[in-house]
Amino acid sequence: MIMSRALNSDVSPVESRTAPPKAGRYSSERGEGSDAFRPLAPVLTGVAVAILVATAVAYGRSAGLVAGFWGASGVAIAVWLRTSRGRANDLTFAGVLTVSILIGEIIAGNRPLLALAFAIVNMIEIVGAVLLARRFAPTLNLSTLNGAAGFLFFAAGLAPLPAALGSVVIQMQLGQAEVWQGFQTWWLGHALGIAVLGAMGLSLTRATLVRLTRPNKMVEAAVLLAGLLGFYYAGFAGHFSARFLLLPLLMVIAVRLGVAGIAFALILVTLLSVGGAMMGHGPYGQGSRAEQVVMAQMLVLIGYMPILLVASLLEERDVLAERARAGRERAEKASEAKSRLLANVAHEIKSPVAGIIGIGDLWRQGQLGPITAQQAEMSQVLVGTARQIETLAHDLLDVARAESGSVRVELRPTDIPGLLEDVRRICLLRPEAGKTVIDVVCEGDGLIAVADSQRLVQVVTNLTINALKYGASGGRVVLRALRDEDCVRIEVVDFGPGLSVQKQAQLFEPFNRLGLERSALEGHGVGLALAKRLVELQAGSIGVESAPGEGATFWVSIPKA
């Protein structure tokens, strides 16, 4: 049948849900169509179905009593799935559609008994497609690959099979010849109707309509569809073959216009292909009209219909990309808020802690009055604890600045052997050094890196202090510098207990002390996270190499001068 109508334009577009429906509820509740239209949906759909049935039966028969393209099922299924809510609505739809199909068959000239038989077989198909779509594509979202594939395979592919078998029984009872031809034509023609018209109806959401009705998009759609008609005429109705151009053009339509656009394009291709075959046009070989129609049906179903899945995949990709972008923006905002909080907390801590340190020093030195030995010890503990808090505040402030991008580094040629010697002297004065030996080893000449010397000293000092804290059982720490291709590599090697692979993966996470929170070792788990950010600001990299019982080697790689 040559049919120029698509899904009834009175159906209100809806947005597809991305989550499956709640248990005990129909997935058709995804619809957000007008409440005023919903009660009229069965009636209006019934009128459209009756017209489509009468037209198909009267003008579209290609294999005995069977039409080559059956659009009534696609329209009925799309509107039913989008507007029906609850069993009462389903029963209303079923009753109205049965009467509509019966009326359409009688208008087309079929006898009442034959019209009733075909109406029953068609309703088996429609009800089966609705149930299968709700079961295997519950969200009815054709903008996802799973939703589109489920609808096309189960609703369009499997649902027409029982009806096609029922048509065989009817044809056999009427003594029709070429029953197998009628079965093929029914199955393929009804599958096409459900696939193209059903997909068109389910994909026309409010967001899709807003996007496609923009002036620039409407012009683009008009140009692409005009090109499609031109290439079709050149390839199938003209004197030369341009059929190979249809496939890439359909692919372009899928990319630019999405599922709704390619569904409409496939409707045009189906009407032209099947209609052309019925009129004896098209590259379908020699044979009867029924054979040519079957070839045209298979061309669209097998050759062109998979492009609809490509469009679904592309739309799903776009949705996921948009969600990722929104998630990234939320994460960036959360990170900025965290950095502001860290900076505010650090600032709020620094002032009172400085006062505590000053008062504690005065107390410890006896300038606030005579003190006992126990009070001197208590004041020393007080000052030491306050200085730890002060160090934490400085580290938090540095982390917040690094994350917000407000830390500025001045990159200049830096002598790494001299820098390591400075770090060695600083760390030997630390209480963590104890009796641990700190050696500096420089391998090769020209160990000059482009770095911020102050920040690099801060990083290497942090790594060395950690080595003294956690690897002091080895009795020795080595600070090594060597050439590594276009970089200078700095290594801080300890000979302590080492680290497992699991702990290595967590090392540079802020506030993660690898289970040592309750140990006697001081620390807050901020140093390595800060070191990583400071190294990255200098276009370098940082990492660790270790194994349980074999010590650990923390390394920093900085571009050489």
Side-chain angles (χ1 to χ4, degrees):
M1 149 186 155
I2 309 297
M3 183 171 62
S4 60
R5 295 189 58 184
L7 181 64
N8 193 315
S9 60
D10 289 333
V11 179
S12 298
V14 300
E15 292 289 341
S16 300
R17 288 182 183 173
T18 56
K22 296 180 180 180
R25 306 279 287 184
Y26 288 124
S27 60
S28 58
E29 291 186 10
R30 65 188 284 278
E32 58 182 37
S34 170
D35 291 336
F37 167 75
R38 185 168 285 110
L40 298 176
V43 177
L44 297 178
T45 306
V47 173
V49 166
I51 296 172
L52 293 175
V53 169
T55 305
V57 174
Y59 302 107
R61 289 176 176 175
S62 62
L65 299 174
V66 181
F69 180 52
W70 192 262
S73 294
V75 172
I77 291 166
V79 181
W80 189 338
L81 287 172
R82 291 184 58 158
T83 60
S84 180
R85 291 187 175 184
R87 298 188 183 279
N89 292 91
D90 286 343
L91 292 174
T92 302
F93 255 104
V96 170
L97 291 177
T98 302
V99 174
S100 299
I101 295 173
L102 183 61
I103 293 173
E105 294 277 354
I106 294 174
I107 291 175
N110 285 334
R111 297 189 303 273
L113 188 59
L114 180 61
L116 178 61
F118 274 125
I120 293 173
V121 171
N122 274 281
M123 284 308 301
I124 291 174
E125 174 180 289
I126 293 172
V127 173
V130 170
L131 294 177
L132 288 172
R134 288 175 174 174
R135 172 63 179 85
F136 295 102
T139 61
L140 304 180
N141 185 4
L142 300 193
S143 294
T144 66
L145 182 60
N146 288 339
F151 178 80
L152 292 180
F153 181 78
F154 291 102
L158 293 186
L161 271 176
L165 293 174
S167 73
V168 169
V169 175
I170 296 174
Q171 293 177 77
M172 291 176 64
Q173 291 295 322
L174 295 175
Q176 294 284 318
E178 300 294 337
V179 173
W180 169 244
Q181 198 77 50
F183 170 81
Q184 287 181 292
T185 304
W186 180 293
W187 182 26
L188 297 176
H190 287 235
L192 270 177
I194 297 173
V196 295
L197 289 173
M200 180 74 179
L202 293 178
S203 63
L204 281 179
T205 63
R206 178 174 291 121
T208 301
L209 286 176
V210 170
R211 178 171 61 88
L212 293 179
T213 52
R214 293 170 183 166
N216 59 333
K217 188 61 69 174
M218 292 178 68
V219 171
E220 182 181 14
V223 171
L224 290 173
L225 294 175
L228 178 68
L229 295 176
F231 283 126
Y232 182 89
Y233 176 80
F236 293 94
H239 300 291
F240 62 94
S241 176
R243 296 191 301 275
F244 67 93
L245 295 174
L246 279 179
L247 193 60
L249 184 57
L250 287 172
M251 191 69 71
V252 172
I253 293 174
V255 173
R256 300 300 303 167
L257 303 182
V259 175
I262 190 62
F264 183 75
L266 289 173
I267 292 173
L268 294 180
V269 171
T270 301
L271 294 173
L272 292 172
S273 299
V274 176
M278 293 183 63
M279 292 185 293
H281 299 297
Y284 310 112
Q286 302 300 319
S288 65
R289 184 175 66 173
E291 291 174 343
Q292 294 186 36
V293 168
V294 169
M295 289 296 295
Q297 292 170 332
M298 294 180 65
L299 173 68
V300 178
L301 280 173
I302 299 174
Y304 302 145
M305 194 58 66
I307 300 177
L308 184 66
L309 299 179
V310 175
S312 299
L313 182 62
L314 293 175
E315 287 198 4
E316 184 175 18
R317 180 207 61 182
D318 292 341
V319 170
L320 294 177
E322 178 62 23
R323 290 179 181 174
R325 184 195 62 77
R328 183 172 63 252
E329 289 182 354
R330 289 195 297 270
E332 290 174 352
K333 290 179 180 178
S335 179
E336 292 174 1
K338 181 196 69 176
S339 298
R340 289 195 297 270
L341 176 63
L342 287 177
N344 291 336
V345 169
H347 279 297
E348 293 298 326
I349 289 175
K350 286 173 62 178
S351 297
V353 166
I356 293 173
I357 292 173
I359 294 173
D361 281 334
L362 293 175
W363 183 24
R364 179 172 55 84
Q365 296 168 8
Q367 297 184 25
L368 300 180
I371 60 173
T372 64
Q374 183 179 10
Q375 289 174 334
E377 181 180 358
M378 291 175 60
S379 63
Q380 186 173 1
V381 171
L382 174 65
V383 171
T385 302
R387 291 195 184 280
Q388 291 179 26
I389 298 174
E390 185 182 41
T391 301
L392 174 61
H394 282 292
D395 288 344
L396 288 176
L397 190 57
D398 283 339
V399 169
R401 287 171 176 170
E403 289 185 343
S404 64
S406 60
V407 173
R408 297 291 181 264
V409 292
E410 297 182 7
L411 302 180
R412 62 186 63 182
T414 301
D415 179 49
I416 299 302
L419 182 145
L420 294 184
E421 187 61 35
D422 291 341
V423 172
R424 175 180 174 275
R425 292 170 182 167
I426 293 172
C427 292
L428 284 175
L429 300 176
R430 300 277 303 189
E432 295 91 345
K435 297 181 180 181
T436 304
V437 177
I438 303 177
D439 293 328
V440 175
V441 178
C442 298
E443 301 178 0
D445 298 327
L447 298 175
I448 300 177
V450 179
D452 185 314
S453 58
Q454 180 181 356
R455 293 299 184 180
L456 191 55
V457 165
Q458 183 180 355
V459 170
V460 179
T461 300
N462 180 277
L463 297 179
T464 306
I465 292 173
N466 284 345
L468 294 173
K469 285 181 183 178
Y470 305 111
S473 58
R476 181 171 174 246
V477 171
V478 177
L479 307 181
R480 180 184 292 119
L482 64 154
R483 293 285 293 274
D484 183 16
E485 296 182 353
D486 294 334
C487 297
V488 177
R489 181 181 173 104
I490 302 170
E491 295 181 350
V492 178
V493 185
D494 70 65
F495 302 89
L499 296 164
S500 66
V501 176
Q502 180 181 5
K503 288 184 177 181
Q504 291 179 43
Q506 304 172 9
L507 267 177
F508 298 98
E509 296 177 359
F511 306 103
N512 191 337
R513 295 199 61 205
L514 307 181
L516 297 176
E517 290 81 0
R518 298 185 180 181
S519 68
L521 296 173
E522 297 177 359
H524 305 91
V526 177
L528 287 179
L530 176 60
K532 184 175 186 295
R533 287 171 172 79
L534 292 177
V535 169
E536 290 172 347
L537 285 173
Q538 300 175 71
S541 56
I542 186 172
V544 62
E545 299 171 359
S546 182
E550 299 181 6
T553 298
F554 285 83
W555 56 267
V556 174
S557 184
I558 299 291
K560 70 179 182 63

